[in-house]
Amino acid sequence: MTEHTDPSMENLLKKILQKVNVTDAKSEVSQMKSTDVNVTEFVGTALIGDTIGLVIANVDRELFSKLHVEGNYRSVGILSARTGGGPQVMAADEAVKGTNTEVISVQMPRDTKGGAGHGSLILFGGDDVSDVRKAVEIALEKVPEKFGDVYNNDAGHLELQFTARASQACKIAFGAPEGQAYGLIAGAPAGIGVVMADVAVKAANVEVIDFASPSFGTSYSNEGILHITGDSGAVRQAVISAREVGKQLLGALGDAPINDFPSYI
C-alpha cells in the first residue's frame, strides 16, 4: 500500500533538511571528525584528504633509528594523508608554533588517489607525549582551513598557500626561511603551474626559492610548483594574482575549479 504525504508537510521537511545541511557544512570547517577507534595511538581524522592523526607515546628505539630522521625523541606524532601535501605541511607548520615539538620528517608520496599531485607523511618529535598529541590535534584542526585555496575540476587542480611567518615544516618541506613570509603556488597539469609562476613573480617584488616540476623537486607528479618568500604583503599579492590566472586556465579544460572550504588567503 502506498502512503500519501501531505504536500505542505513535505515542503516543511525539505526546508528543515536544507537548514541542517547548511549548518553542518559551516560547522565542519573548524571541527575535527570524531570517530570511535579503540586504538591508543589514534588521535583523530581531518574532514578532507583522507587525513589521519596518530601518536606513539614511546616509540621503539630500533624503529626510530630506521625512520631516517635526526634527533632523539621519545614520542612521535604522525600526520598521514592520501590527498594534499601542501595543506598538511601548512597545518603542521602552525602546530609546531604552538607546541613544544619539532617536525622531524616531511615526505610527499606520489598519490592523490590517482590524481595529479601528492599525499603526505609528516612526523612530529617530542619528549612529552601530551605535547606531541596536541601538535597532531592542532594540525588536524587546521587541515580543512589549508584546503581553502585548493581548487579542483576533472582536469586537474590548483593549490595556493601563504603564511606571514614560516616555521619548521615549511623549511623542511619547501626550503622556506624560518620566520619570513612564504607562498606556494601550484598548478596541475604542470604547464599551468609554469604560467602561474611567471604571473606571480611579475605581480610583486618577491624572491623565488625554487620551482618544482615533474622531474625536479616532486615525486614525479604532474605539477608546476613555485616557492617564494619576501615581504608579507608582496608574497600574498603574488599568490592571489597567480590564483586568478590559474582558475581561468584550469577552467578552460573543464568546469570552473571549485574549493571545498572557504579561501583563507
Side-chain angles (χ1 to χ4, degrees), residues 114-185:
H118 298 93
S120 56
L121 171 62
I122 300 171
L123 302 181
F124 299 90
D127 294 322
D128 188 330
V129 65
S130 62
D131 287 334
V132 176
R133 177 178 286 273
K134 184 62 175 178
V136 174
E137 289 175 350
I138 292 172
L140 287 171
E141 291 168 358
K142 289 287 184 179
V143 165
E145 174 189 314
K146 303 307 180 183
F147 266 95
D149 284 281
V150 176
Y151 300 81
N152 297 276
N153 67 11
D154 289 339
H157 69 263
L158 312 171
E159 179 180 343
L160 298 308
Q161 302 290 350
F162 167 76
T163 177
R165 184 172 64 89
S167 190
Q168 244 187 340
C170 288
K171 179 181 179 180
I172 292 174
F174 307 129
E178 286 192 74
Q180 297 185 31
Y182 164 74
L184 179 150
I185 294 160

Side-chain angles (χ1 to χ4, degrees), residues 12-31:
L12 178 61
L13 286 171
K14 285 182 179 178
K15 290 180 180 179
I16 292 172
L17 288 172
Q18 287 173 352
K19 185 176 181 180
V20 169
N21 288 339
V22 169
T23 303
D24 288 347
K26 289 180 179 178
S27 64
E28 282 179 353
V29 174
S30 60
Q31 290 182 357

Side-chain angles (χ1 to χ4, degrees), residues 1 12 22 39 67 80 87 91 97 101 123 126 131-132 153 206 211-212 219 225 241 243 263:
M1 183 176 178
L12 178 61
V22 169
V39 178
L67 290 178
S80 186
K97 293 174 185 177
T101 60
L123 302 181
D131 287 334
V132 176
N153 67 11
V206 295
F211 182 82
S219 296
I225 308 170
S241 298
R243 179 179 63 190
S263 168

Side-chain angles (χ1 to χ4, degrees), residues 181-211:
Y182 164 74
L184 179 150
I185 294 160
I192 292 176
V194 175
V195 173
M196 291 172 68
D198 186 68
V199 169
V201 296
K202 289 176 177 175
N205 184 21
V206 295
E207 177 185 343
V208 175
I209 299 170
D210 196 12
F211 182 82

